[in-house]
Structure formats: structure tokens, C-alpha cells
Amino acid sequence: MQPISAILDLGNPAASRSESVSLDEQQTPERLSYLQIFDRVLETVLRGESHLFSEDEKKTLASFSSLDQHSRYLYTRLYMRKQSWIRVSSLKYGDKMIVEQSCKLLCRPSSNNTEPLLLAETEIEDCNDALHLLTSPELKDFAKKKGVKQISNKTKDFICEMITKSAKQRTVMSFFKQTPEDSAGQRLSGLVQEVSKITGPMVHLNPAIVDLFARLHMVFFRSLAPMGVDNAIKLAILAVVGQIRFPQYTVARSVDLFVSRDDVILFKTLMEVSFKMAELGQFSVKDVDRHTEGWSLYLDHSEMWAKHIESLRKNACKKTAPLPSRAGVEYWRQHFIPGYALARIVEGGAKFAANLKRFDEEERILQSLLSQTAYRLNRRGDWYGRLILLYTKHLRPRQVKGDKELERHIRKLMQRARDTCIRALDDDHVHRVSLRALTRQLRSIEAKLDVSVKNQYEHPRAQLEWREAPERTFFGVRILCPNRHGPSMWDGNDDIPCSVEQLALWRYMDQGYVGLHSENTIVRTLFCLLFWDIILHAMPGVLDTEYQSQPLDMNSESFYYSRQGLIDQRLQDISGGDFESHIRRSYDIGYGTTCAGVSWNFTLEQLLTISECLGGKGLAAICSVMAKEYRIKSSGFPDLCMWNPVTKKIMFAEVKGPKDKLSETQRDWIDILLSNDIAVEVCLVREGDSRDHEQE
């Protein structure tokens, strides 16, 4: 592997370090794997995308590359840990003396004035960081020496708080002396020094260097998730040591995914904010403080979004065009620009506005999202639906009989809701899954507005009617668990508790079926095996590293349009009956690899049986939908996949317990299956003894 200094033409960075750690230890495969990944990331990115880093950043990376193996290995292990202060004595990454030498070296800046990779204990600003590194016995002994009493049975946080509080208080003598060295800050600083005498040296990752490496890894792995959430580097290390395998394919890395250093920095920052907002949004609506914090994050970026929308409008620069144009083929690249991350933040802001009942602000946010067609096109149906709900419910004041002004206002809101329905039906970016609900809303609103049948809005997309699956009812005994949250449990065979889906499967098996509770996994697996070579087909920019479980465009419409010729030909072959050989070959080649969408829990025999029962036309119909809408159609497929081993007939069943209803996505899948003569039914599981009911 070529030295980083040679790639960047920085001369000999080894001279920038006054010393190095002598390596007397044998480097294990595990250690070498960490170094191999970091070196691969450095070399690959700086060879083709060095323009995304400043000259000082390149010097820092070259300085890291010039370190001895153990120091680099130690830094990589610390980088993979949670960012906090660490006792050097607690590090078990080799010989104790070598670890200490490496820490000293990493805490020193290089001679070319690059920042140190680690911070030493002299950089501790909050004495609580140091106190928390003490063990419980050490902390209690230290507290007693500082005169803190009544600490038995107290938490570590409480004891640390009491020690800090005590250190801030002046003694009577220090009050009269009034020495400048006796300030609260000096006393807290002295507290850290006292703690360090117990703990020994302490180190912390330099945040500026961590940010640099996080940006480096984001560029290499093409990762959307921030550090701490993304597992790309961990999976790469597992692949190097042989614990997992990725599919084999030809890497065709692009160097123009990110435009500039400023874009990368802004994109990374905005994505971190969007993930933080998503994290806050997981809390209960009752946790007002969390949702207020999320709302504040949106407000911090609302002006940036307004300016971005205005720039799109002024330049008349639609980022996408109707598929399958060139812009459609590369639409997936929009996910790696700051505008996409900003759109995620704004959408999060709409959710926080809803949770905080700021409905006027929510309406304004949704309108701004719908004013552009550059980002998150798959979300437009949901945005329209929520906007209609605002007009018909949340923004609608309580009606007072006889108040004509109020009646006019309500009618105006209803008219606005109707206009939004029409706008949604005219929007080609709204997916068919949303059309049925939008059409129902339109008809309901028109009825309330007393719109005559003659004047009702008609649109070809509003005529969509999904086929209804036949229903079958089974009965079972539900297990009542007052303290249990989540899916209901039922009394299964031999009194074994089971899920409602497993109970239904057992009932079907009693009627001669063989089957699996597979949900979406079966169609994803069949699709990926049938199109294995096409999914992994060498195309510029979508398979950029050796450590990918799927191409970068897999979850966008771009996937189909960029491979349309290959996919259409394969669909034709499958429809004609040529599918067994593709499944066998892909299963043999890929078995055990980490491939998104594929579950190796299915046996080859099961997959071949299911595909045989579906037949070429049925398989082609399902795969055609998956190829064009992989992300959307990766959910909503019926729960059970069953077949009769004698008749070779297949049937799918969506299982619904008491009070459960079909989602729009599930209704769409049912319609697709029925439209292609594939048997599917809705299985209703109800409480009661099956012996008391006869199945009609």
C-alpha cells in the first residue's frame, strides 16, 4: 500500500514525530484488521477525493499514517469507543508499557503543528469527568478525605456532585486570606490534579481530529448515518477478520459524489442534526421538553431552508425530472447533498410542530416541503394527507350554531382541503399507495361541501379500486398479560404461547398446508437471488467499496431505470420459466454473505418449492414490482407464505388479530397479488374456542 505522504506529496512525515514506540509485541490478525481498514480508508479517499480536505487536514492524516503500528492501532480502538475520558491504566490493548508510551506520543502535537490526536488530563475542564473515572471505593475514600459526609448508599452521581459542591465552597480561613489562587476555578482545577494522582494518566479523543476521521469515513463508506449510529466500519473490520462476508462484485468507485469540502462539512453537520431530531422524536408526546428541543433544532435551520427553497425557485433548477430521464437515473445522488439533509430536518420540524399542537406552523412547513420536488419525493403522499387532516380537523375551530363568519371560515378550510386533494391527485410523484386514501378524503370533503356528482373532481388516478381478498376466520385463546407491551400472545399447540401469526399458521397446517411466517423476507430474498448478478452489476458510483451489502441506489427509483434493459430481459426470462437456475446459482455463490434483503434462513429447497408454486408469471409480476419500487415494496407483504405439497398451489395470508386493520401498503400488495392470479386472503383471528365455531 502506497504511503499517504506519497499520495499527497507531503515529503517525509516520519520526521514530524520526535519518537515512536518500539514494537516488541506480535501483531495479531485482529489488530492488523483495524489498521488495514483505516489504511484502506485513508489511501482510497485521499487518492481520489483529496479535494474534500484542507491542506492542514491532509497533514494531520499523513502524520497519523506515519505513526508506528501500535500507536495507530491504539488510536483506532479508542476511536471506536464512546467518546469520554479514559484511564490509561484501564486500556487492555497490549503491553502496559507500550500502551503508556503510545498514549504519550498521541498526546503530543507533531512538529508540523498538527493537533495532537489525544488530549491529556491537563485538558479536563469539568472535574466531574475526572471524578467519574474513580471506582466506587476510590470515590468514597476521596469524598471522605474532602470532608464530604453521609455518602453511604448514595449514587456515584450524587457523591461527585457533593465533592464538586464542597470544592466550590470557601473555608473560613480562605475567605479572610482572599488569595487569587483560592478561586472556585483554581480549587476545581486542583481537584482534578488530586484525582489524577489516584487514576494515573487520563486521555480523551481530540474532538477536532475525531470530526476529521468521521468525515473521512463518511466519504469512504458513503454513509448517511452519523458516527455512533453507523456500523459500516465495524462491519468492514468483521469482514477483514473473516467473521462476515460481503458479496463479490467489481468496485467502480466514483470521485464526484461530493462536490466540495464545504458541502461535505455541511452535509455531515445537517445529517447529525436530523438524526438527533429523530432520536428526540422517539420520546413520548408527553415529554414536552424533548419535543420542544427538537422544535428548537428545526427553528435553528428554518431560515437556511427558506433560502434554499428560494434559490431553487430563482434558478428554476428542479433537481429531478420525470423518470426515466438522466436526472431520474441519478436521483439517488440527491441523498448526499446538504439540501437532502436539510429536508430531513424540516420534515422532522413538521412532526414536532404536530406533537406540540403548533398546527399553523405545521401547515406552513408542509407547504414549503411540497413546494419543491428535489428531495424526499416518496414522502409527498404523506405530506398531502397530513395537510388535508389539518384543514379538516386540527385547524378547524369548534362550530357555533348561527355564527355565519365562523361557518364561512370553516367552509374556506374545507375548500382548501379539497384543493389539496386535487393537487395531490395531479402530482405524479405521489405513489399509488396514497391514492386510495386521498380519493376517499376527496369524496368525503365534497359531500360536506355539497358538491354535486356532476361537479365532483374526476381524475384517472382517482378511479383506483383495489381488489378485496377473501376472509377466513380462526379462533383461539388469547393470553392476557397485564404488564406486557407489544404483540398479543395466544395459546398455541400443546399450550405453547405463540404469536397470532404462528397460531394462524398452525390452523392452516391442520388444513393440509405447509408454510412459513415470512412476511416481506420471502419476496426480498427471491427477488435478490433472481437478480443477484444484476444488483451487483458493475456500474459507476453505486458499488464504491468492498464492504457494501447493496448498491447505493438500491432504495430509489434510480435502481430500475439505470438497469432497465437488464432487468426487463430477466423478467422476460423468468416469465418464460427460466428461474430455477438463477436461484440455484445465486444461492451457491452468495450463501452466508451479508446481502441486504436476503435471508439465508430459507433453505434452497424451500425457495425452489415456493418459486415453482408461484410459477414464472407470478414470480415475474412480483419481481417487476420489487425492481421498480424496492424500498416501498419491502414492507406490507402478507404475513404467511403457504403451499400445498400435493397440488403445488400457493397461497399468502395477511393475519389480523382483534381490532387490527389492513394498512394501505398491505392493501396494495393484496391487489397486486390478486391482479396476477396469486391466491391471497385475510386471516382474522378472533378470541373463542374453535370447537364452538364451524368454519364456513
Side-chain angles (χ1 to χ4, degrees):
M1 185 173 291
Q2 192 175 2
I4 301 301
S5 57
I7 295 175
L8 299 177
D9 193 22
L10 295 176
N12 180 20
S16 66
R17 295 281 176 182
S18 58
E19 60 178 284
S20 62
V21 178
S22 60
L23 286 175
D24 297 325
E25 295 184 306
Q26 182 179 1
Q27 296 299 303
T28 63
E30 179 192 16
R31 292 190 180 192
L32 292 175
S33 68
Y34 281 84
L35 297 177
Q36 181 178 337
I37 292 299
F38 266 68
D39 289 346
R40 173 67 60 84
V41 171
L42 276 166
E43 181 190 21
T44 302
V45 174
L46 295 181
R47 183 183 298 279
E49 296 166 284
S50 62
H51 62 284
L52 301 177
F53 301 88
S54 68
E55 292 303 317
D56 287 341
E57 289 169 342
K58 294 174 189 177
K59 289 179 181 178
T60 298
L61 295 173
S63 180
F64 169 82
S65 181
S66 70
L67 289 169
D68 58 85
Q69 278 192 352
H70 193 282
S71 296
R72 285 188 291 129
Y73 168 70
L74 177 62
Y75 183 82
T76 61
R77 293 306 301 264
L78 294 177
Y79 177 82
M80 300 287 289
R81 293 174 58 150
K82 184 178 179 180
Q83 290 193 52
S84 60
W85 285 95
I86 304 169
R87 294 171 70 156
V88 173
S89 59
S90 70
L91 298 175
K92 309 299 181 185
Y93 300 134
D95 180 81
K96 181 179 179 181
M97 184 176 296
I98 294 179
V99 169
E100 290 178 354
Q101 290 177 355
S102 293
C103 285
K104 289 180 181 178
L105 181 61
L106 293 170
C107 285
R108 296 173 185 167
S110 64
S111 59
N112 61 8
N113 295 322
T114 59
E115 292 192 51
L117 299 175
L118 299 181
L119 302 178
E121 65 271 7
T122 54
E123 301 293 330
I124 295 179
E125 297 178 352
D126 187 348
C127 64
N128 280 305
D129 291 334
L131 289 170
H132 274 83
L133 292 181
L134 296 172
T135 64
S136 293
E138 289 173 341
L139 184 62
K140 290 179 180 178
D141 288 342
F142 187 76
K144 291 176 182 178
K145 291 178 182 179
K146 304 305 291 184
V148 178
K149 301 177 181 179
Q150 299 180 347
I151 58 174
S152 59
N153 299 323
K154 300 297 183 181
T155 64
K156 198 169 188 178
D157 287 339
F158 178 83
I159 297 173
C160 290
E161 183 181 349
M162 293 303 295
I163 294 173
T164 303
K165 185 177 180 180
S166 175
K168 290 179 180 179
Q169 295 174 347
R170 289 186 175 183
T171 63
V172 175
M173 292 298 294
S174 66
F175 176 79
F176 286 106
K177 288 181 179 179
Q178 297 289 322
T179 58
E181 292 79 9
D182 199 45
S183 66
Q186 290 289 342
R187 289 194 296 276
L188 292 176
S189 179
L191 197 65
V192 173
Q193 294 176 12
E194 292 181 62
V195 172
S196 67
K197 292 178 181 178
I198 302 172
T199 62
M202 296 173 277
V203 293
H204 190 290
L205 289 167
N206 185 335
I209 306 301
V210 169
D211 183 74
L212 171 60
F213 273 101
R215 192 160 17 108
L216 183 81
H217 288 123
M218 184 193 76
V219 171
F220 177 80
F221 289 108
R222 309 311 200 203
S223 174
L224 296 177
M227 182 181 173
V229 178
D230 180 45
N231 291 319
I233 188 170
K234 295 178 183 178
L235 294 175
I237 291 170
L238 291 175
V240 171
V241 298
Q243 292 191 24
I244 64 172
R245 289 188 301 118
F246 286 97
Q248 292 185 347
Y249 50 81
T250 301
V251 175
R253 188 176 180 87
S254 62
V255 296
D256 60 348
L257 182 60
F258 297 102
V259 177
S260 66
R261 177 177 178 271
D262 289 343
D263 266 14
V264 172
I265 292 174
L266 181 57
F267 174 73
K268 176 178 175 295
T269 301
L270 294 175
M271 286 302 293
E272 288 171 349
V273 173
S274 73
F275 271 85
K276 175 63 177 176
M277 292 176 70
E279 180 183 326
L280 292 170
Q282 296 299 315
F283 288 90
S284 168
V285 179
K286 296 179 181 179
D287 195 339
V288 177
D289 290 342
R290 301 280 189 176
H291 290 270
T292 302
E293 182 182 352
W295 174 248
S296 297
L297 288 173
Y298 158 72
L299 291 177
D300 292 341
H301 297 83
S302 58
E303 186 177 349
M304 184 187 299
W305 173 250
K307 291 180 179 178
H308 185 63
I309 291 293
E310 185 61 26
S311 69
L312 290 177
R313 190 177 293 115
K314 281 185 177 179
N315 297 330
C317 179
K318 299 282 186 178
K319 295 293 183 181
T320 60
L323 297 176
S325 70
R326 175 67 177 168
V329 170
E330 297 192 351
Y331 174 69
W332 66 272
R333 293 168 68 94
Q334 300 289 83
H335 294 173
F336 294 91
I337 64 176
Y340 169 80
L342 195 54
R344 282 175 54 103
I345 292 173
V346 175
E347 184 176 11
K351 293 178 181 178
F352 286 118
N355 293 338
L356 295 171
K357 301 188 185 304
R358 298 173 176 267
F359 298 125
D360 289 324
E361 286 96 333
E362 184 187 4
E363 182 210 2
R364 178 174 50 80
I365 295 171
L366 290 172
Q367 291 287 12
S368 74
L369 286 166
L370 288 167
S371 70
Q372 53 82 38
T373 54
Y375 314 110
R376 302 183 70 72
L377 297 180
N378 60 293
R379 299 288 301 150
R380 294 181 71 82
D382 292 332
W383 295 341
Y384 281 119
R386 178 63 187 178
L387 198 55
I388 294 165
L389 187 63
L390 286 177
Y391 293 140
T392 57
K393 181 178 179 181
H394 298 301
L395 291 175
R396 178 174 176 168
R398 183 174 296 178
Q399 194 165 359
V400 178
K401 190 174 182 180
D403 191 332
K404 299 298 183 182
E405 186 67 27
L406 188 59
E407 289 178 4
R408 283 193 292 271
H409 176 67
I410 292 174
R411 185 172 182 82
K412 186 177 180 181
L413 286 173
M414 295 298 290
Q415 185 61 53
R416 197 178 298 176
R418 180 175 184 264
D419 293 342
T420 303
C421 285
I422 294 172
R423 180 182 168 194
L425 292 171
D426 288 337
D427 190 336
D428 292 335
H429 296 296
V430 173
H431 192 269
R432 60 171 263 158
V433 169
S434 303
L435 294 181
R436 190 169 183 268
L438 288 167
T439 303
R440 288 201 309 268
Q441 287 176 307
L442 175 62
R443 295 296 175 241
S444 174
I445 293 167
E446 287 180 331
K448 291 176 182 178
L449 289 172
D450 296 325
V451 177
S452 64
V453 176
K454 180 181 178 181
N455 293 323
Q456 285 183 352
Y457 182 76
E458 296 295 339
H459 192 286
R461 282 157 61 91
Q463 306 303 317
L464 177 67
E465 286 294 336
W466 284 333
R467 293 166 178 79
E468 298 291 336
E471 294 182 351
R472 184 190 299 254
T473 303
F474 290 131
F475 295 89
V477 178
R478 190 172 185 173
I479 300 174
L480 299 178
C481 302
N483 298 324
R484 188 178 185 279
H485 299 284
S488 61
M489 297 299 291
W490 297 73
D491 192 2
N493 288 0
D494 299 324
D495 298 326
I496 299 174
C498 66
S499 66
V500 68
E501 293 86 3
Q502 187 61 48
L503 176 67
L505 182 58
W506 278 333
R507 295 287 188 268
Y508 277 111
M509 291 172 69
D510 292 340
Q511 299 185 11
Y513 285 99
V514 176
L516 303 163
H517 175 203
S518 56
E519 299 186 11
N520 307 281
T521 312
I522 185 63
V523 287
R524 288 200 304 261
T525 299
L526 283 172
F527 170 72
C528 289
L529 292 178
L530 286 165
F531 289 79
W532 184 276
D533 55 329
I534 296 176
I535 292 171
L536 301 176
H537 180 66
M539 295 184 61
V542 297
L543 292 167
D544 277 10
T545 76
E546 304 93 322
Y547 314 111
Q548 291 180 221
S549 60
Q550 63 181 20
L552 293 175
D553 63 347
M554 186 78 174
N555 290 312
S556 76
E557 294 88 343
S558 306
F559 173 80
Y560 171 73
Y561 288 107
S562 59
R563 304 165 179 80
Q564 186 170 0
L566 295 171
I567 291 175
D568 288 348
Q569 181 59 54
R570 180 62 50 84
L571 289 173
Q572 185 176 339
D573 295 342
I574 294 171
S575 182
D578 182 12
F579 51 82
E580 181 179 337
S581 60
H582 292 295
I583 295 175
R584 286 185 180 278
R585 182 169 58 252
S586 300
Y587 198 91
D588 292 341
I589 293 174
Y591 183 79
T593 59
T594 302
C595 180
V598 177
S599 172
W600 301 111
N601 293 326
F602 297 115
T603 65
L604 179 59
E605 181 183 0
Q606 287 174 330
L607 294 170
L608 291 175
T609 299
I610 293 169
S611 61
E612 180 186 359
C613 292
L614 278 169
K617 292 184 178 179
L619 269 177
I622 291 174
C623 288
S624 176
V625 173
M626 293 295 292
K628 296 172 183 176
E629 302 173 344
Y630 180 81
R631 190 197 63 79
I632 296 174
K633 287 297 180 284
S634 287
S635 63
F637 197 79
D639 298 307
L640 306 181
C641 172
M642 301 166 293
W643 61 94
N644 188 308
V646 178
T647 63
K648 297 296 182 181
K649 290 185 177 181
I650 195 165
M651 182 172 70
F652 297 96
E654 178 62 40
V655 182
K656 291 299 174 186
K659 298 182 180 180
D660 290 342
K661 294 182 179 180
L662 290 171
S663 69
E664 298 299 293
T665 307
Q666 290 168 342
R667 289 180 181 277
D668 192 39
W669 258 122
I670 288 173
D671 179 70
I672 291 169
L673 294 173
L674 291 175
S675 299
N676 290 280
D677 298 323
I678 300 173
V680 59
E681 61 184 32
V682 176
C683 174
L684 306 176
V685 178
R686 299 293 180 255
E687 293 186 70
D689 193 327
S690 59
R691 291 171 296 184
D692 298 334
H693 300 82
E694 291 185 2
Q695 178 67 41
E696 296 182 0

